[in-house]
Amino acid sequence: MYRVVLAVLLLGVCLSGHANVAIPKGYQQVQDSLSYTQTRQEPCEYPKPYTEELAFASRYQGSDKARDTVNKQAEKAYKESTKATRDLQLFIAKKTDDILIRGNILVGTDCIINALMDWKNNSSLLDDTENKTGIAVRKWTLSAMSSSLLKINTFLNEYHHNKYLEVKLWLESMAKKVIVDYSGRPLNKVNNHDYWAAWSVMATAGLLNRDDFYLWAKSVYITAMGQVDQQGFLANELRRQTRAAMYHNYALTPLVGVAAFMRANGDEPLTTNDGALERLYSVVIQSTQESNLFKEKTGHTQIDYDLFSSGRMAWLAIYRTLVNEDISMIKLIDKARPLSSSRLGGNLELVYM
C-alpha cells in the first residue's frame, strides 16, 4: 500500500515540468528517411499472448544472498514460462528494424498493430502480482515495446491511428504499473531492476509525451548516479560476487538509454554526482581489459561472460552520442557489433549512428 501511495504522490508532483517530452533526434530522422511504402505481402506470425499468471520461477532460486548461482532446473522452468514474453520482445524489435531497413511500411505495421492489439486484449501483462520475477518481466517487455515503437511512431499514427491509440493506452497503464512496482524501494535494494524500470518508463514517456513519466524516470537515474562510488562501482551490483562484472554492464545499459533522453530534454546527465555515469562506464570498459578487476574488488573470480557478444554492449551506440567519441571508443564499437538489443529497441545503429 505504501508503494502505491508514494507512486501516486510522485506522479502528482511530476505534473509540473517540461511541457513536452523530446526524444533523441535519430528516432524521427530514420522515419523521415523512408519515402516509400511497399506493399509486398508476407505472413504475419507473432507470439501468441501470454495469458497465465504473471508469476515465474527465478533463475537463481535457492541461491544465497549473492544470488549468483543459477539453478538449472529453475532456469529451465523460467525459460519455458517466459518464452511468450521474450518472443514478443524479440518480435517487436526485429519487426520494427525490418520496416526501417526494408521499407515495407504498410505490411509491417499491419502485422505489428495486429500483434499488439491481440496482446492488449488477451495478455495478462497488466495483472496484479507480487512475484518479483513477474514484475521484472513486465518492465522488460514494456522496455522492448516502447523503445521499438518509437522507431515507427509516425507510421503507426498515420496508418493505424485508432488502433494505435488503444495500444498506447495499454502501454500507459503498464508504465503506471511499473512505477508502482518500483517506487519506495529502500536504497539497499535499488539496483539494475530499478534502472530497467526507469528505462521502460522513459521510453514510454517519449512515446506518449508524458512529462510525469519522464520526471519519474529521471528521478531514478539521479538515484542510480548517487549509488556510483568514486571509483565507479555500484555497491548493490558488487554483492552479486561472481557476477558483479556482468551486472555492472547490465546496470549501465538502461542508464545510458535514460541519459540520452535527458540530454534531448535539456538536462545534463553527465554532471550528476560529479560525472558518475562516466566513472561507471570506465569501470565496465576496464573490466573487459583487466580480468582481475572485479575479482580484486569482490574477492570472487568472475564467471566466464563475454561482454562483446550477443549485443551486451549495444548501449555503446547511445553512449557515443553523449561524449566525444575517440579512437578507443570506435574500436570498442567495432568489437561489440552488432549493436542490437531488443530491450533497448532493436538495432541501435539505425537510430544513434
Side-chain angles (χ1 to χ4, degrees), residues 239-258:
R239 293 175 187 162
R240 303 307 292 267
Q241 296 184 353
T242 64
R243 295 175 183 268
M246 162 188 163
Y247 273 102
H248 270 70
N249 180 71
Y250 191 63
L252 176 59
T253 300
L255 293 173
V256 171
V258 171

Side-chain angles (χ1 to χ4, degrees), residues 24-322:
K25 60 184 180 181
Y27 288 101
Q28 190 59 50
Q29 287 178 336
V30 72
Q31 292 172 82
D32 291 343
S33 69
L34 291 182
S35 57
Y36 53 94
T37 55
Q38 297 177 16
T39 56
R40 178 179 58 253
Q41 294 302 309
E42 55 189 42
C44 178
E45 298 176 356
Y46 61 85
K48 298 308 176 187
Y50 177 80
T51 59
E52 304 300 319
E53 183 181 4
L54 204 62
F56 310 102
S58 168
R59 298 168 63 240
Y60 300 109
Q61 193 174 79
S63 180
D64 61 19
K65 63 181 180 180
R67 295 186 65 76
D68 65 339
T69 303
V70 172
N71 179 322
K72 296 297 183 182
Q73 188 173 1
E75 181 178 45
K76 181 180 178 182
Y78 169 81
K79 287 181 176 179
E80 290 174 352
S81 59
T82 61
K83 185 178 186 303
T85 54
R86 182 61 183 149
D87 285 349
L88 177 66
Q89 295 170 36
L90 294 170
F91 164 82
I92 195 71
K94 290 180 178 179
K95 200 69 176 178
T96 51
D97 283 344
D98 182 66
I99 289 171
L100 298 181
I101 293 169
R102 298 168 62 198
N104 198 19
I105 297 171
L106 294 180
V107 173
T109 56
D110 280 346
C111 187
I112 287 171
I113 205 69
N114 288 338
L116 292 177
M117 284 295 291
D118 194 359
W119 275 75
K120 169 195 169 292
N121 292 328
N122 298 299
S123 79
S124 53
L125 282 174
L126 282 181
D127 287 2
D128 291 333
T129 181
E130 292 297 321
N131 179 265
K132 291 181 179 179
T133 308
I135 287 171
V137 167
R138 171 159 52 212
K139 61 113 177 327
W140 286 325
T141 307
L142 179 62
S143 295
M145 289 192 293
S146 290
S147 57
S148 294
L149 292 176
L150 279 167
K151 299 180 301 186
I152 60 166
N153 186 46
T154 299
F155 305 142
L156 290 172
N157 276 323
E158 181 176 354
Y159 299 119
H160 306 281
H161 185 73
N162 291 336
K163 287 183 177 179
Y164 191 36
L165 281 178
E166 291 187 50
V167 168
K168 287 193 287 188
L169 286 172
W170 177 55
L171 298 177
E172 177 185 57
S173 296
M174 206 176 306
K176 290 179 179 178
K177 287 275 191 180
V178 171
I179 289 173
V180 170
D181 290 339
Y182 288 94
S183 288
R185 280 159 53 84
L187 275 178
N188 66 343
K189 298 291 185 181
V190 173
N191 61 8
N192 64 83
H193 282 287
D194 300 80
Y195 312 158
W196 278 101
W199 167 242
S200 73
V201 172
M202 183 63 91
T204 310
L207 193 68
L208 306 182
N209 197 24
R210 285 290 297 259
D211 182 53
D212 50 346
F213 289 179
Y214 172 86
L215 290 173
W216 184 85
K218 175 184 170 182
S219 73
V220 176
Y221 176 88
I222 292 171
T223 297
M225 293 301 97
Q227 293 178 299
V228 180
D229 68 20
Q230 288 304 304
Q231 288 72 47
F233 294 98
L234 289 161
N236 291 347
E237 307 305 334
L238 288 174
R239 293 175 187 162
R240 303 307 292 267
Q241 296 184 353
T242 64
R243 295 175 183 268
M246 162 188 163
Y247 273 102
H248 270 70
N249 180 71
Y250 191 63
L252 176 59
T253 300
L255 293 173
V256 171
V258 171
F261 278 70
M262 289 175 61
R263 173 71 63 80
N265 284 274
D267 288 315
E268 186 40 70
L270 298 188
T271 62
T272 308
N273 189 18
D274 195 26
L277 188 67
E278 292 181 276
R279 294 199 302 276
L280 179 56
Y281 165 83
S282 295
V283 158
V284 170
I285 299 305
Q286 187 180 354
S287 75
T288 68
Q289 302 162 348
E290 300 176 21
S291 58
N292 287 330
L293 178 67
F294 276 92
K295 179 180 179 181
E296 292 172 358
K297 190 69 177 177
T298 66
H300 296 271
T301 299
Q302 299 298 290
I303 63 166
D304 186 14
Y305 191 79
D306 182 8
L307 291 183
F308 289 101
S309 67
S310 304
R312 290 165 182 160
M313 297 186 77
W315 54 264
L316 280 167
I318 308 175
Y319 192 79
R320 64 174 288 278
T321 68
L322 300 172

